[in-house]
Amino acid sequence: MKQRQLGTSGLNVSELGLGCMGMSFGYGNQPIKSDAIKLIQHAHTQGVTFFDTAECYGPFTNEEIVGEAVKPFREQVVIATKFGFKNGVVEQGVDSRPASIRKMVDASLKRLKTDYIDLLYQHRVDPDVPMEEVAGTVKDLVQEGKVKHLGLSEAGVDAIRSAHSVFPVTAIQSEYSLWWREPEQDIFPVLEELGIGFVPFSPLGKGFLTGTIDNKTEFADDDFRNLVPRFSVEARQANQALVDLLTQIATQKEATNAQVALAWILAQKPWIAPIPGTTKTHRLEENVAAAQVSLTSTELAMIEKAIADIDIVGDRYPAHLQKRINR
Ligand SMILES: NC(=O)c1ccc[n+]([C@@H]2O[C@H](COP(=O)([O-])OP(=O)(O)OC[C@H]3O[C@@H](n4cnc5c(N)ncnc54)[C@H](OP(=O)(O)O)[C@@H]3O)[C@@H](O)[C@H]2O)c1
């Protein structure tokens, strides 16, 4: 698979990464540990060199899975992980105090079975800790050799600029896909200006854009999508128009919806590397093959025109989690 550089940082990653969250957090029907490890190792044989995890996925177990899986080829891959929730637990709220970041990094290194983290993100901005202090702490960790690059997740323009003034930010990770394009407005121009890369999460719209979910789909009890307004039965029914558009393009291209959704993202900027998540080998292969699907400028313009007429219904997060996106 082709590589992309995240901004001007010098950090190269496979143009499609693998989001590992769903292997132990967020969605229902999680695989057993040995299957998750096999899946990550299979991804590597398919050319994937960019693996995304976080201390809060599980919590903690996801980093263990990733660490064990990539151990045989550690030097060939980029591990991205995240700190920033109190005790690693999302429900406890944010915590980016310098001492907490240091403690987390030491614990993550152990779980990841490595002595360096390639890309360390702050998972959410902590309104009680200045970004300069967060970036300064990561800068010290870089000087100590424990971390290679700084990233921020869902940060806003001011937070990005403040952190970058202290230590170069390599990547911003935020939600981005055909049904959530907000980063194009304020974030992309700043990333372009500062030479920062972009890592879209939920690039398949948490599965919805693939066309395998409809208004009759029932999620497992522990599946986060039960709480997401955009996944209410009414919203799914209304948002089917976008899936229908994707299906129409996919049919013309002899591709799948997931492949078109990923190819569309790859076509937006050369410094973007999405991290679709899956727990299934056949879907992993399908997603990886999206790197072979290219959309012409005519097709991209047609998509642009068609989606302008589609109103997406429902918030992307439940209200209590939306509040946690401090920018
Ligand atoms: N920074 C943050 O705050 C944040 C937030 C959310 C996610 N993330 C990261 O981003 C990664 C990706 O995001 P995501 O997992 O939320 O959403 P996603 O990649 O948009 O979608 C994942 C969902 O789509 C399904 N899927 C994947 N490929 C498919 C295919 N080809 N056909 C049909 N269904 C398919 C998966 O189910 P199966 O497993 O059944 O295939 C899973 O339910 C995560 O793993 C995580 O690492 C970060």
Side-chain angles (χ1 to χ4, degrees), residues 18-22 27 52-53 57 82 123-124 153-154 173-174 200-208 210 212-213 225 256 258 275-280 282-284 286-287 317:
L18 178 63
C20 299
M21 177 186 80
Y27 301 124
D52 190 79
T53 181
Y57 298 162
K82 316 181 193 80
H123 212 146
R124 291 288 182 271
S153 176
E154 289 282 351
Q173 179 178 133
S174 294
F201 75 71
S202 303
L204 301 172
K206 304 179 172 70
F208 187 76
T210 67
T212 57
I213 294 170
R225 288 169 291 197
T256 67
I275 45 167
T278 184
T279 55
K280 299 182 175 62
H282 69 280
R283 287 181 171 174
L284 170 79
E286 176 188 339
N287 297 347
Y317 275 123

Side-chain angles (χ1 to χ4, degrees), residues 28-187:
N29 305 319
Q30 294 155 5
I32 56 168
K33 187 175 177 185
S34 57
D35 285 348
I37 289 171
K38 272 191 220 143
L39 185 71
I40 292 170
Q41 294 182 334
H42 186 63
H44 184 242
T45 68
Q46 301 288 298
V48 176
T49 63
F50 187 27
F51 296 93
D52 190 79
T53 181
E55 65 162 350
C56 70
Y57 298 162
F60 313 121
T61 47
N62 203 261
E63 286 188 327
E64 285 169 8
I65 290 170
V66 173
E68 200 164 326
V70 306
K71 202 161 184 274
F73 42 83
R74 169 70 187 99
E75 299 299 317
Q76 298 165 30
V77 300
V78 168
I79 299 178
T81 191
K82 316 181 193 80
F83 66 84
F85 290 109
K86 222 166 269 173
N87 303 311
V89 179
V90 175
E91 288 72 25
Q92 292 186 19
V94 293
D95 178 7
S96 280
R97 290 172 297 174
S100 305
I101 299 175
R102 289 191 151 277
K103 199 168 145 207
M104 175 268 166
V105 164
D106 285 338
S108 286
L109 286 170
K110 278 204 189 99
R111 286 189 291 267
L112 290 165
K113 298 174 186 57
T114 184
D115 49 13
Y116 64 95
I117 292 164
D118 301 272
L119 176 56
L120 179 69
Y121 295 102
Q122 180 192 44
H123 212 146
R124 291 288 182 271
V125 169
D126 181 343
D128 295 330
V129 182
M131 290 308 290
E132 289 82 355
E133 217 172 299
V134 173
T137 306
V138 177
K139 180 181 180 182
D140 292 344
L141 289 163
V142 171
Q143 275 158 7
E144 290 162 34
K146 293 180 177 178
V147 173
K148 302 279 186 207
H149 293 268
L150 164 65
L152 306 173
S153 176
E154 289 282 351
V157 168
D158 292 345
I160 295 169
R161 286 193 186 282
S162 301
H164 197 76
S165 70
V166 173
F167 189 70
V169 176
T170 288
I172 298 300
Q173 179 178 133
S174 294
E175 181 161 356
Y176 183 59
S177 68
L178 274 162
W179 78 347
W180 184 256
R181 298 178 63 183
E182 187 193 63
E184 290 172 8
Q185 294 161 25
D186 298 333
I187 303 294

